[in-house]
Amino acid sequence: EEQYAVTASYLEIYNENVFDLLNKPDKLAEHLIIFEDVNKDKFKVKNQTKVKVESLEEVQKVLKYGETNRRYAETYFNHKSSRSHTIFTIHIKYMKYSGEEASYIKESVLNFVDLAGNERLMYEYKSRGGKEEAVKSSQSRPRSKSPMSEFYDPNSKNQRLAESKHINKSLFFLTQVIYLCSKGKTAAHVPFRNSPLTKILRSSFGGKSRTLLI
């Protein structure tokens, strides 16, 4: 009379675009679309991969596979610096049956969010037209090849700079959302729509949800 269905998904938010870390190798570079479910007052990611899991070992296997597809680079402070935010989600659906039809359905979601570190943009001095100019750069260095090498160049300084800007941008909006949510009903409009990260995590900041930051 009672059944549980448990699935796992793993998303990466890189340069404000959403990618499916559990996708097939030839589709890892495809952007996923976020749409708003007005009826349930939350955002959903279209066509994300959900893998059925029945044990802790299967959950860990899915997580490890997703990690091999994630974007990393070596920095002066971290030999394996994540260049993106990731959300590993366990979806749990409980169904109670009356005869052949489900008479009661309850869903729960557990999000494990790994945030990329706040990036400090360093300055390099370069000579331009006989003048020394300060140019912003993120202090990162290339890393060994990964399955994403076909789509991702760990040697590009321009790419490192773009990553740093987007990491700081999404962390700013996340901080803003947390601050306004902490004010409760006295808060002004909470800008969940400003970032893919805050869109996906919208359900984690309201209703019966509980959030823990480490």
Side-chain angles (χ1 to χ4, degrees), residues 135-179:
V135 181
K136 285 184 178 180
S137 71
S138 178
Q139 299 298 293
S140 59
R141 297 177 288 196
R143 180 179 171 260
S144 57
K145 288 188 176 181
S146 72
M148 283 301 296
S149 298
E150 183 180 348
F151 318 106
Y152 177 67
D153 180 11
N155 299 295
S156 171
K157 284 191 175 182
N158 290 334
Q159 198 157 287
R160 293 292 79 71
L161 181 58
E163 290 169 355
S164 300
K165 289 179 178 178
H166 285 105
I167 288 171
N168 291 346
K169 178 181 178 182
S170 58
L171 288 176
F172 168 76
F173 287 129
L174 178 63
T175 304
Q176 192 178 44
V177 163
I178 293 173
Y179 171 73

